[in-house]
Amino acid sequence: MLFCKGDTVMIKRQRKNHSGRGHTLIISIVLTFLLLGAVVYSIAGQISSKMSQSAIDNLSESLGLLRGTIQAILYKEAEFQKLIAQELALLEDPDAFVLSYNTNKTMIKVSIIHAGESTGISNTGELFSADSLDFSSGKTVDGLPLSGSYINDMGTWAYTLSCPVEKDGREIASLYVEYIYDSLDEALPPKFYNNNATLYVMDAKSQRFVLKPKGIGERTAGHINLQDFYNANRILEPDIQTEISESIRDGRHVMFYHNVRDRESLIYMWAVNDGALYLIGYVPIESIQQEGKAVNQNIFIVVVVMLIAFLICCTLFFLNERQKNRIHKEQEAERELHNKQLTEALQAAQMASSSKTMFLSNMSHDIRTPMNAILGFTTLLAKEADNPAKVREYTKKITASGQHLLGLINDVLDVSKIESGKAVLTLGEFTLDSMISSIDAIIRPMAKAKTQKFDITVSGIKHEQLIGDETRMNQILINLLSNSVKYTPEGGNIWLRIIGLEQRSSQFEHFQIQVEDNGYGMTPEYLKVIFDAFTRAENSTTNKVQGTGLGMAITKNIVELMGGTIKVTSEVDKGTVFTVDLELRIPDQPSDGQFWQEKGILRILAVDDESYILDNIRTLMKNTGVVTDTSLNGEDALRKIQTAREQGYSYDVILMDWNMPGMDGLETARQIRGTEGNDIPILFLTACDWEEIQPQADTVGVDGFLAKPFFVSALKEKLLELQSGPVKAEPPEDSAPGTILEGRHFLVAEDNEINSEILLELLGGEGASCTLVENGHLAVETFSASESGTFDAILMDVQMPVMNGYEATRKIRALKRTDAVSVPIIAMTANAFAEDVKDALDAGMNDHIAKPIDLAVIKKIISKYVSSRPA
């Protein structure tokens, strides 16, 4: 076919026109989509706005109903109280009626005070005074004065209504009825705004949260008062807080938007009973707009479906078959990627939820470890009550386990601080001997219960006294060792090795801690995540062992906080080895050679078939000035003793292993006694249980026992015990006469009987006397009634009925007497966080002591304030 030039031009024009129509169609489609999108967006915005306003109105109505419910209850209580007052006016003996009145779960206490009298009688039979009630707010319920909220004798928030008892037109008495806020809980709905809103009831005057209705909304721990509500929800703007304060003062409702935990929320503060109480809480905006979002989503889905259908038609119109296949493949690839992302997101969410559940259900893992030692040694303590040496030993181990348990509790409460890197170390001097003794007291009973062999070795250590955080060191070792016990089958072996490494600086001891077991082991996959929080090995064997999955993460954090490293190697069914490298500072201490000279110990002989043990003894005794000879067996030890006798000198102490090949320790000791008599002290240095070998040791004249590994401090302690006798121990330093507490007189405010008994016994044992009161109000009265200088200090609990310790301190400081400002007031409370210390100081207290009570801490703190004052 032949084409002329004009035909070619026509074809080009047709293609151009076709292309132009295509572009026009595309532009029209785009404009149509934009117009449709603008209309949909406008309609969606209007629907969302209207439905949000409707939801806010519904919320206001719901709050109004809640307010009406509470006010109706208050008015019914006031009306019923008036009826009781009318009935009392008709009785000849209203006191008898009050005494016989049976309270219910709403009316907790009924009291009456006759006109002209300051005290009256309650249905509980005790005297009643209205002085402790605060009616200064001027709030009333149906004309009856309403007191401020307070914590009653039951430890729950309560309020009191006062009603006059009138007879013949004159007031003959006042009727006081105490009600509790918990009774309001039953009248409130079980759910509020689809259970997405929070709700608290606040006393307007004190701004304390007096009721947290059950089942209403999500909760965050720690909402105690309005300021705490501000802090927890980041409502820190001064102008907002000022406006809220003015609204609460005027009894007005408050409702405003604010960001709460990264969620835009509507915060409400609804006045009840003319502002005497407030309903306080918040609801996320997304919950308010939920219905509007649902409508918008439906509209959006319809539009999207239409757009997709239209685009598909356009695609079929403009693209050929190859383009359609290519788009189809791209869509399939994108869909697979999207599904993969959704699957990974779902798995991550499920893992996070499972980890949290595992943490909450297995939190007892670390706490039960020292508790086992405490309970076990308490049982042994009861059996060995007549053995002073055992009592001291068990008490020391119970104290060590209790201190570690307290440290674990603090770690669980403070785990967020550790993970965020805000944890700090508490440095102090400690000995490896005391640390290993504490660890052994906790781990060995656990291993023994599973018939496991627990072996401790120390080698290459040059200094046993170091500077570091002993509690954190204990935590590292107990986390690692308790895991080894749990994940090692019965009859297995566990090794703790402390190995001295080459010093990088003369001021630091460089050493390595190895914890090895021949237990179940771990897979290579789990080794990659073992130091992540909330992770545990998952297999049919280890699943039988409970744990939080937090111990290894905390251990790694603590090791790194100390500037060390931790690594792990493991093989399934063969065992695991944890290796920790640390450097701790060596304290500046003078040589203790004077001790050995005073005790007449110039030469010792150590006998053991393990050469590394003898090397360790020589290393640790190097700076004492004592000549240390060693023997690898009993025969060589006898030869050295004979050589010493022939050369005119003798050994002052003999350390001997019990279990040696050839001539064992018993036979060697028997022959030494046969040739040398009883002049040389012989001590068995062994890892065996002393109670098992003591009967045999006594037959050959062995003087005592030292547990492996060897430490100089343990040897010194044993030698002092031998010189002073096995029963009568040297009194501790802090029990010596003339301590800082002797002759002192303290005012103690404590409402817990057990805590009071412990404190009085501890102070009484130091020669101090105490005046005990049960609450802050009595503390103020007692101090006010005392002569100046009566009390050397005031030990003040914080959480007490009637009046807390902070308020009592403020009132004492405000008294017009010379010693009101100068008397030391020390907080003694279980509130042990930094903010609690700040609150105590802000209230006017001098210092803060955290419970549980530690006598050494008490003496240290008190000495700062009373050391210069005469007892």
Side-chain angles (χ1 to χ4, degrees):
M1 183 177 296
L2 299 176
F3 292 92
C4 65
K5 185 177 180 180
D7 294 333
T8 305
V9 173
M10 184 178 293
I11 292 173
K12 291 181 177 179
R13 287 179 179 176
Q14 289 177 349
R15 291 178 178 175
K16 184 177 181 180
N17 291 336
H18 181 76
S19 175
R21 288 196 300 268
H23 287 104
T24 302
L25 180 60
I26 292 174
I27 293 173
S28 300
I29 292 172
V30 171
L31 292 176
T32 302
F33 286 167
L34 291 176
L35 180 61
L36 180 61
V39 172
V40 171
Y41 181 82
S42 177
I43 294 174
Q46 294 177 6
I47 293 175
S48 177
S49 176
K50 291 180 179 179
M51 299 199 74
S52 296
Q53 184 60 43
S54 176
I56 293 174
D57 294 339
N58 291 337
L59 176 62
S60 299
E61 291 178 6
S62 299
L63 291 172
L65 291 175
L66 291 176
R67 179 187 65 177
T69 300
I70 295 176
Q71 290 187 162
I73 293 174
L74 295 175
Y75 273 82
K76 285 185 179 181
E77 291 173 348
E79 182 179 356
F80 186 72
Q81 188 168 341
K82 289 180 179 180
L83 293 176
I84 297 177
Q86 294 174 6
E87 185 175 352
L88 288 174
L90 301 177
L91 298 176
E92 294 182 0
D93 188 2
D95 289 356
F97 177 85
V98 171
L99 288 171
S100 63
Y101 193 86
N102 293 324
T103 58
N104 51 44
K105 58 183 179 181
T106 301
M107 301 173 62
I108 300 303
K109 184 165 68 173
V110 179
S111 310
I112 186 172
I113 299 179
H114 292 280
E117 297 182 4
S118 60
T119 59
I121 192 72
S122 299
N123 62 332
T124 59
E126 59 187 4
L127 290 178
F128 174 78
S129 172
D131 294 341
S132 61
L133 300 176
D134 182 8
F135 292 93
S136 62
S137 64
K139 302 297 182 181
T140 62
V141 179
D142 196 15
L144 300 186
L146 173 66
S147 76
S149 303
Y150 57 92
I151 298 178
N152 63 10
D153 296 338
M154 299 169 56
T156 186
W157 282 100
Y159 59 92
T160 296
L161 290 178
S162 173
C163 178
V165 180
E166 298 179 349
K167 185 175 184 181
D168 298 332
R170 62 185 183 88
E171 183 176 339
I172 63 172
S174 294
L175 175 65
Y176 297 87
V177 179
E178 181 183 278
Y179 306 89
I180 60 173
Y181 284 101
D182 289 347
S183 63
L184 302 177
D185 199 5
E186 298 179 358
L188 298 178
K191 292 184 179 180
F192 184 48
Y193 218 82
N194 295 328
N195 210 32
N196 291 322
T198 62
L199 182 65
Y200 298 90
V201 178
M202 182 188 79
D203 177 75
K205 183 176 182 181
S206 64
Q207 297 187 352
R208 298 276 292 189
F209 286 1
V210 298
L211 178 63
K212 181 173 65 175
K214 299 176 182 176
I216 297 184
E218 59 188 11
R219 284 291 179 269
T220 56
H223 287 179
I224 300 173
N225 52 37
L226 183 58
Q227 187 60 45
D228 185 66
F229 184 82
Y230 289 158
N231 297 335
N233 299 304
R234 308 297 296 174
I235 307 174
L236 305 178
E237 296 83 351
D239 55 340
I240 294 179
Q241 294 188 11
T242 300
E243 183 178 351
I244 293 174
S245 298
E246 293 174 355
S247 300
I248 293 176
R249 182 189 61 202
D250 299 334
R252 292 184 281 112
H253 303 321
V254 181
M255 185 177 289
F256 61 94
Y257 292 98
H258 202 276
N259 189 286
V260 177
R261 289 183 291 172
D262 298 328
R263 298 168 69 186
E264 188 68 18
S265 302
L266 182 61
I267 297 177
Y268 44 84
M269 300 180 179
W270 223 250
V272 179
N273 194 42
D274 296 330
L277 300 175
Y278 267 83
L279 300 175
I280 292 181
Y282 64 87
V283 58
I285 297 300
E286 61 187 20
S287 299
I288 295 178
Q289 297 177 343
Q290 186 172 4
E291 296 176 358
K293 285 185 177 180
V295 175
N296 290 337
Q297 287 174 355
N298 291 333
I299 295 175
F300 180 77
I301 291 173
V302 172
V303 173
V304 169
V305 171
M306 293 175 59
L307 293 176
I308 292 175
F310 199 27
L311 287 174
I312 291 175
C313 293
C314 293
T315 303
L316 293 174
F317 179 78
F318 286 109
L319 300 177
N320 57 29
E321 192 68 26
R322 179 181 297 178
Q323 290 174 325
K324 186 172 62 175
N325 293 335
R326 180 176 57 83
I327 292 175
H328 179 71
K329 292 179 181 179
E330 291 177 354
Q331 289 176 342
E332 286 294 329
E334 184 178 356
R335 189 179 297 110
E336 290 179 1
L337 177 61
H338 186 60
N339 290 337
K340 182 180 179 181
Q341 293 174 344
L342 290 176
T343 302
E344 292 175 351
L346 177 61
Q347 291 176 348
Q350 290 174 340
M351 289 178 62
S353 176
S354 176
S355 297
K356 292 179 181 178
T357 302
M358 183 186 305
F359 173 70
L360 294 174
S361 62
N362 299 320
M363 190 178 291
S364 62
H365 161 251
D366 289 333
I367 296 178
R368 288 181 181 273
T369 301
M371 183 59 72
N372 176 65
I374 292 174
L375 295 177
F377 282 114
T378 302
T379 303
L380 296 175
L381 189 64
K383 293 181 179 180
E384 301 286 350
D386 296 331
N387 188 337
K390 290 294 184 182
V391 168
R392 287 192 300 274
E393 178 185 354
Y394 295 155
T395 304
K396 180 179 179 182
K397 293 177 179 179
I398 291 173
T399 301
S401 300
Q403 291 293 338
H404 178 67
L405 178 59
L406 180 61
L408 286 176
I409 295 173
N410 289 336
D411 286 338
V412 173
L413 296 177
D414 209 26
V415 63
S416 61
K417 182 183 295 184
I418 294 177
E419 291 183 338
S420 64
K422 296 181 180 179
V424 294
L425 299 175
T426 303
L427 301 181
E429 291 189 18
F430 71 97
T431 63
L432 290 176
D433 178 38
S434 64
M435 182 186 74
I436 292 178
S437 298
S438 300
I439 298 301
D440 186 75
I442 294 173
I443 299 300
R444 192 169 295 279
M446 296 171 55
K448 191 173 182 180
K450 296 183 67 174
T451 63
Q452 296 169 341
K453 183 180 179 182
F454 178 41
D455 188 29
I456 303 176
T457 59
V458 176
S459 61
I461 295 295
K462 301 177 179 62
H463 303 86
E464 62 178 274
Q465 189 152 1
L466 303 171
I467 295 177
D469 192 330
E470 185 176 7
T471 301
R472 297 296 192 188
M473 289 292 299
N474 285 341
Q475 188 174 357
I476 292 172
L477 291 174
I478 290 180
N479 279 347
L480 297 177
L481 289 168
S482 61
N483 275 349
S484 292
V485 172
K486 289 191 306 177
Y487 294 106
T488 300
E490 294 191 4
N493 296 292
I494 299 168
W495 296 271
L496 168 60
R497 306 184 188 97
I498 300 180
I499 305 169
L501 302 178
E502 183 178 356
Q503 289 181 266
R504 297 168 180 163
S505 169
S506 60
Q507 297 178 342
F508 289 85
E509 182 76 23
H510 185 200
F511 61 95
Q512 185 179 91
I513 299 174
Q514 292 182 359
V515 175
E516 181 180 357
D517 62 67
N518 60 352
Y520 305 125
M522 292 173 281
T523 62
E525 294 76 17
Y526 180 63
L527 286 176
K528 298 177 181 178
V529 297
I530 185 174
F531 295 115
D532 295 341
F534 312 115
T535 56
R536 288 184 57 207
E538 297 293 334
N539 60 60
S540 59
T541 302
T542 60
N543 281 347
K544 300 177 183 178
V545 182
Q546 293 186 350
T548 62
L550 191 60
M552 290 299 101
I554 293 179
T555 299
K556 184 175 185 293
N557 283 331
I558 295 174
V559 170
E560 292 178 349
L561 189 61
M562 292 181 174
T565 60
I566 182 171
K567 60 183 179 180
V568 56
T569 58
S570 183
E571 191 173 347
V572 176
D573 296 330
K574 291 190 177 180
T576 302
V577 180
F578 284 94
T579 304
V580 178
D581 276 9
L582 288 173
E583 282 187 293
L584 296 183
R585 180 176 289 276
I586 302 167
D588 297 329
Q589 289 187 337
S591 175
D592 61 350
Q594 184 177 359
F595 169 84
W596 305 98
Q597 293 179 2
E598 291 177 352
K599 303 303 178 184
I601 299 174
L602 303 178
R603 186 184 295 268
I604 67 173
L605 175 64
V607 186
D608 198 293
D609 59 315
E610 297 285 354
S611 58
Y612 75 90
I613 294 178
L614 299 178
D615 293 339
N616 183 58
I617 295 175
R618 282 194 297 266
T619 300
L620 293 176
M621 294 295 296
K622 181 178 180 180
N623 296 326
T624 62
V626 178
V627 177
T628 304
D629 294 336
T630 58
S631 294
L632 287 170
N633 52 65
E635 293 84 352
D636 183 61
L638 293 174
R639 285 193 295 270
K640 287 187 176 180
I641 293 173
Q642 181 179 356
T643 301
R645 187 188 331 113
E646 293 173 351
Q647 295 181 0
Y649 63 89
S650 64
Y651 292 104
D652 302 303
V653 177
I654 297 177
L655 303 177
M656 188 179 306
D657 188 16
W658 174 64
N659 188 11
M660 296 185 295
M663 183 183 295
D664 61 14
L666 287 173
E667 180 60 29
T668 305
R670 182 180 291 107
Q671 295 196 25
I672 291 174
R673 289 299 184 218
T675 59
E676 304 298 322
N678 297 324
D679 295 335
I680 304 177
I682 300 178
L683 301 176
F684 271 179
L685 179 64
T686 176
C688 300
D689 191 343
W690 175 240
E691 294 182 353
E692 297 178 358
I693 64 175
Q694 184 176 8
Q696 302 178 61
D698 290 341
T699 61
V700 297
V702 175
D703 297 282
F705 158 79
L706 282 180
K708 287 184 178 179
F710 170 83
F711 289 104
V712 177
S713 57
L715 176 60
K716 291 170 63 175
E717 183 178 348
K718 177 59 66 174
L719 293 175
L720 288 173
E721 179 182 329
L722 292 178
Q723 291 187 2
S724 60
V727 175
K728 182 178 180 181
E730 182 179 352
E733 181 180 352
D734 59 1
S735 65
T739 63
I740 190 65
L741 301 180
E742 186 173 358
R744 303 291 179 180
H745 186 52
F746 301 102
L747 174 59
V748 178
E750 172 64 67
D751 63 319
N752 185 282
E753 294 183 2
I754 295 178
N755 289 342
S756 300
E757 182 179 354
I758 293 174
L759 183 58
L760 293 181
E761 288 291 336
L762 289 175
L763 295 178
E766 295 294 318
S769 59
C770 302
T771 298
L772 176 66
V773 294
E774 299 176 354
N775 55 63
H777 179 70
L778 293 177
V780 176
E781 288 186 345
T782 303
F783 183 79
S784 301
S786 66
E787 296 182 0
S788 179
T790 300
F791 300 107
D792 291 287
I794 300 175
L795 305 180
M796 184 78 72
D797 190 13
V798 170
Q799 294 186 1
M800 295 183 292
V802 183
M803 181 184 293
N804 63 43
Y806 298 144
E807 185 63 25
T809 300
R810 295 187 183 98
K811 289 186 177 295
I812 290 175
R813 294 302 190 204
L815 293 175
K816 296 181 179 179
R817 49 186 289 174
T818 57
D819 60 343
V821 177
S822 62
V823 62
I825 303 179
I826 301 170
M828 188 171 292
T829 172
N831 299 341
F833 292 105
E835 54 267 27
D836 300 310
V837 178
K838 181 179 181 300
D839 290 342
L841 298 179
D842 291 344
M845 298 182 179
N846 297 83
D847 220 314
H848 178 282
I849 297 176
K851 294 178 181 177
I853 297 170
D854 188 327
L855 182 59
V857 175
I858 294 177
K859 294 169 66 176
K860 180 179 179 181
I861 295 297
I862 291 178
S863 64
K864 296 195 305 185
Y865 304 102
V866 304
S867 59
S868 61
R869 300 174 58 180

